[in-house]
Amino acid sequence: MQRPDNIKLPNLSLLDKLVATATLLVAAALFMGSWAEVLRVVYGPDSSVGLLGERLAALYQSDRWAFEALFGVHAITLVALVVATYRLFRLTSFNRRFRKIFYLGSGLLAVLDLSAWFFAPRCGTSNEYVGALGIAAAVPLVFLALVPLFEMWVYKRWRSLDGKPKRVVIVGGGFAGLYAALGLNRKLGYSHDLEITLIDRRNYFLFPPLLPSAAAGTIETRQVSYPFRRIFETTNVAFRKMSVTAVDPTARIVRGVVEISEDPVTHELIGKEAEYPYDYLVFAPGSANQTFGTKGAEQYAFFMRELNDAVRLRNQVISCFERAAVITEREAQRELLTFVVVGAGPTGIETATEIFDLIEHVLQRRYPEVDRSLAEVCVVQSGKQVLPGWDEGIVKMTEAQLKRMGLKVLLGGRVTEVGPNFVSIGEQRISTRTVVWAAGVKPSGLALRSGLPLDSAGRVQVEQDCRAKGFPEVFVLGDVACFVDPRTGKELPPLGQVAFQQGAHTGRNLARLLSGRSTKPFRYFNFGGLVSVGEHFAAVNLLGVRISGVLGWFIWRTLYLSKLVGLSNKIRVVLDWTLDLLVERSISQIRDQDYVKDGQ
């Protein structure tokens, strides 16, 4: 397998390191020495930074040849310093954005430094400020030149205990898999003796908590995803886009199909089978929609798990208003404008309230032909409360806000059937064209083809350090793991905060195993819960502190923003949220299917 080439600098040979270090140090010494020579020759020890411009001017007037010679040495060493640093920075683990900022900054500093030498003798009484500007530019320039030296020498490369390269394969690029990969890379990833490969069927990391916002158009769909190759560009992690079909823990092999292209006529995937042997496996394929065998749910319901799900739901809501605007039958309009969300967990609540806000603040204004009283959003929950299992205070805050908003909440009723234009809840039948299923998840079906020990629910049984029972080289994380918390005796729920805590802990445990040390047990820390309940309102339980309203909404956005991957995505999401406060969001439909051939 071709290895990523992003860790050159820490792995240079000793000779290359010594040559690069000598070049940088000599250039930096001569560069700063030329400034020191101005102080020593002209005024001796009684000099100050503020009068450096005057020193340059005095030297220029008294001995122009000496000044020009000193200026030449200074300019040459400055160029040597910048070029040497540039060549080394290309080999560092800093990402492209940081390197671009460095290149721009170092160029600007070099121009300022040379300008101080050039203009100081010609600036009259103001030359003292020019000299100070020169020193202000010179000091950070030398500091930046020392940054590659730190990365070159401080990192201690990991060595395999038996002299053989080790291969770590991570199946699944969700919270658990991503944090495990980044955590292991942070500890040991600068070594060429270690191969880290993350495999996922998507080529991007998806941030599911913001899918409801993307479905309602609060943020753009691309903001909830980030390409794996961008995430891993400065790491020793290789990404492979592949649909894993099976895991053989006895032979220590991951098998799958590499997707290459799609046939333009049959739309069948053209790919090839591939195998990835491993020494250690992180198994975190995630979960799938749980419909509990409900008739028609898979065929007619909308879901909220993939990026395309958000696009489809948004198109559906807008399409229902478009159709309702051109028909006159009142009951047919009511059917189109009734939106039912099954499941009152955080995903269900946030999806229902986002749909409600889209209707209330945007669509009803743009479709005056539609009677406002016909639009209704309904949440269905089989239990006796919304947010089952959550803190009682948060539940009460959420229920009160749902009532203020006017959403219809049906508790204690189980959905028995979903049809093309109805949903049955026990004996009750609601006419609707839009049913969103958010009633739970089940472990990924890949667990059944993993050869690992499963419980009755299809989740892999694990030890306290997250390793599969009977397979000490396999870590199982996230929604597919049956982890029993020793403090409560209960299984950990399939939540994002469980996944990323397990991922980070597993990264550290892998580093310990690869260094010949024993693993540490995983301890889950419950930070609390948070759920958005409509515009400018969220209910938050953070470390036992309950907050609701605008403050809770601000905390909700801040915490989600902190977990979002990619600086560019964070900036874009902040801009989208800000624009949503000032301007009306778009109601243009984004087609998720092929255009019909007649041009419509």
Side-chain angles (χ1 to χ4, degrees):
M1 183 184 71
Q2 185 178 1
R3 301 293 310 286
D5 200 14
N6 302 315
I7 55 172
K8 295 178 182 177
L9 194 56
N11 292 286
L12 290 177
S13 67
L14 180 60
L15 178 60
D16 289 336
K17 286 185 177 182
L18 291 175
V19 171
T21 301
T23 302
L24 273 181
L25 292 181
V26 170
L30 290 175
F31 172 72
M32 294 305 295
S34 57
W35 275 111
E37 184 66 9
V38 175
L39 301 178
R40 188 190 70 80
V41 170
V42 181
Y43 278 90
D46 58 333
S47 47
S48 65
V49 171
L51 299 177
L52 279 176
E54 294 184 8
R55 310 296 194 263
L56 287 173
L59 180 61
Y60 182 81
Q61 296 297 329
S62 62
D63 193 342
R64 186 168 181 176
W65 184 90
F67 174 84
E68 290 178 350
L70 195 58
F71 178 52
V73 172
H74 183 82
I76 291 172
T77 55
L78 173 61
V79 172
L81 184 66
V82 172
V83 170
T85 307
Y86 167 76
R87 293 173 65 87
L88 289 177
F89 249 84
R90 293 187 303 167
L91 308 179
T92 63
S93 62
F94 296 111
N95 61 36
R96 289 175 296 173
R97 183 179 295 108
F98 183 88
R99 291 202 295 266
K100 287 178 180 178
I101 293 173
F102 164 77
Y103 299 150
L104 180 62
S106 60
L108 178 60
L109 291 173
V111 170
L112 290 175
D113 179 86
L114 293 176
S115 298
W117 282 74
F118 182 79
F119 288 109
R122 302 168 175 83
C123 287
T125 57
S126 63
N127 53 25
E128 61 180 280
Y129 304 107
V130 179
L133 181 63
I135 282 292
V139 172
L141 190 62
V142 172
F143 174 78
L144 287 175
L146 299 178
V147 171
L149 294 180
F150 176 84
E151 183 165 329
M152 186 189 303
W153 291 103
V154 170
Y155 287 146
K156 182 181 178 182
R157 289 181 295 178
W158 172 83
R159 299 288 186 184
S160 176
L161 298 178
D162 57 7
K164 298 178 181 179
K166 298 301 179 182
R167 297 161 298 189
V168 177
V169 175
I170 301 171
V171 175
F175 284 117
L178 179 65
Y179 277 76
L182 294 178
L184 177 58
N185 177 79
R186 192 176 299 113
K187 290 285 187 179
L188 307 177
Y190 40 81
S191 173
H192 278 303
D193 290 337
L194 179 63
E195 295 182 7
I196 309 172
T197 305
L198 186 141
I199 301 173
D200 198 276
R201 58 187 173 81
R202 298 183 294 244
N203 76 334
Y204 57 86
F205 169 75
L206 180 67
F207 192 74
L210 288 180
L211 278 179
S213 297
T218 307
I219 60 175
E220 293 294 328
T221 53
R222 62 180 178 174
Q223 265 68 288
V224 298
S225 64
Y226 202 77
F228 283 119
R229 292 185 182 272
R230 286 279 304 276
I231 297 173
F232 299 140
E233 68 174 342
T234 60
T235 68
N236 193 33
V237 181
F239 170 72
R240 294 294 178 265
K241 184 176 185 291
M242 185 176 81
S243 295
V244 177
T245 56
V247 174
D248 187 342
T250 302
R252 298 189 181 185
I253 292 176
V254 174
R255 298 187 175 91
V257 177
V258 179
E259 299 176 1
I260 298 179
S261 61
E262 183 180 273
D263 189 287
V265 178
T266 65
H267 298 289
E268 294 179 352
L269 291 176
I270 304 172
K272 66 175 182 179
E273 295 183 352
E275 292 185 350
Y276 284 90
Y278 64 83
D279 295 291
Y280 289 98
L281 172 68
V282 178
F283 189 67
S287 56
N289 294 306
Q290 174 64 280
T291 61
F292 305 100
T294 304
K295 183 179 179 181
E298 291 283 355
Q299 183 177 0
Y300 298 112
F302 292 82
F303 296 94
M304 194 53 59
R305 291 194 58 78
E306 301 291 341
L307 197 58
N308 197 46
D309 292 336
V311 176
R312 291 183 63 243
L313 179 58
R314 182 173 180 271
N315 286 344
Q316 171 68 7
V317 174
I318 297 172
S319 180
C320 286
F321 270 80
E322 290 286 358
R323 285 181 282 171
V326 297
I327 62 177
T328 56
E329 297 83 355
R330 191 171 180 83
E331 288 306 311
Q333 287 182 324
R334 188 187 303 277
E335 180 180 290
L336 286 167
L337 300 179
T338 299
F339 304 91
V340 179
V341 178
V342 181
T347 301
I349 294 296
E350 291 184 357
T351 301
T353 54
E354 288 283 6
I355 293 175
F356 179 88
D357 286 340
L358 176 62
I359 294 172
E360 185 72 14
H361 301 296
V362 181
L363 296 179
Q364 288 190 342
R365 239 183 283 170
R366 295 301 168 199
Y367 294 86
E369 310 95 323
V370 177
D371 186 347
R372 289 175 175 239
S373 65
L374 296 179
E376 183 179 64
V377 179
C378 178
V379 180
V380 180
Q381 173 63 28
S382 60
K384 296 182 179 180
Q385 67 174 47
V386 300
L387 300 175
W390 280 50
D391 177 81
E392 184 178 351
I394 297 297
V395 172
K396 290 182 178 180
M397 294 176 190
T398 302
E399 289 178 339
Q401 176 64 8
L402 292 174
K403 185 176 180 180
R404 283 193 293 268
M405 294 175 67
L407 271 75
K408 185 176 181 181
V409 180
L410 299 178
L411 300 176
R414 184 177 296 275
V415 174
T416 55
E417 184 179 358
V418 178
N421 58 353
F422 71 90
V423 58
S424 296
I425 307 168
E427 299 298 324
Q428 184 180 3
R429 185 182 175 111
I430 299 176
S431 296
T432 177
R433 294 296 182 95
T434 308
V435 177
V436 184
W437 194 274
V441 297
K442 61 182 178 181
S444 169
L446 184 58
L448 300 174
R449 305 186 297 276
S450 67
L452 300 172
L454 307 179
D455 67 359
S456 58
R459 298 202 290 178
V460 180
Q461 300 177 14
V462 299
E463 304 287 357
Q464 288 301 300
D465 59 359
C466 295
R467 287 191 283 184
K469 291 184 176 180
F471 296 92
E473 71 284 348
V474 179
F475 290 84
V476 183
L477 315 177
D479 297 351
V480 79
C482 175
F483 185 94
V484 179
D485 192 332
R487 292 169 296 184
T488 63
K490 298 180 180 179
E491 296 178 7
L492 293 181
L495 298 176
Q497 63 172 313
V498 174
F500 71 71
Q501 287 184 44
Q502 286 182 334
H505 185 78
T506 295
R508 294 189 292 268
N509 266 344
L510 279 169
R512 294 177 66 86
L513 284 175
L514 290 165
S515 301
R517 295 180 291 169
S518 60
T519 61
K520 290 185 177 181
F522 171 68
R523 293 290 180 263
Y524 170 63
F525 182 80
N526 186 2
F527 289 94
L530 64 165
V531 59
S532 172
V533 194
E535 192 172 49
H536 305 159
F537 188 98
V540 176
N541 177 16
L542 187 61
L543 300 176
V545 180
R546 302 184 187 94
I547 304 170
S548 65
V550 175
L551 180 57
W553 172 77
F554 177 78
I555 294 174
W556 173 84
R557 287 197 164 184
T558 302
L559 291 177
Y560 274 4
L561 192 66
S562 68
K563 291 299 180 183
L564 197 63
V565 174
L567 177 62
S568 59
N569 270 20
K570 292 180 180 181
I571 294 173
R572 290 189 180 107
V573 167
V574 170
L575 291 175
D576 281 349
W577 280 340
T578 303
L579 288 175
D580 188 58
L581 297 174
L582 304 175
V583 298
E584 184 178 294
R585 70 188 74 167
S586 172
I587 57 172
S588 300
Q589 288 178 290
I590 305 172
R591 289 183 182 251
D592 62 337
Q593 58 187 2
D594 294 335
Y595 289 93
V596 293
K597 293 183 179 180
D598 62 2
Q600 298 297 317

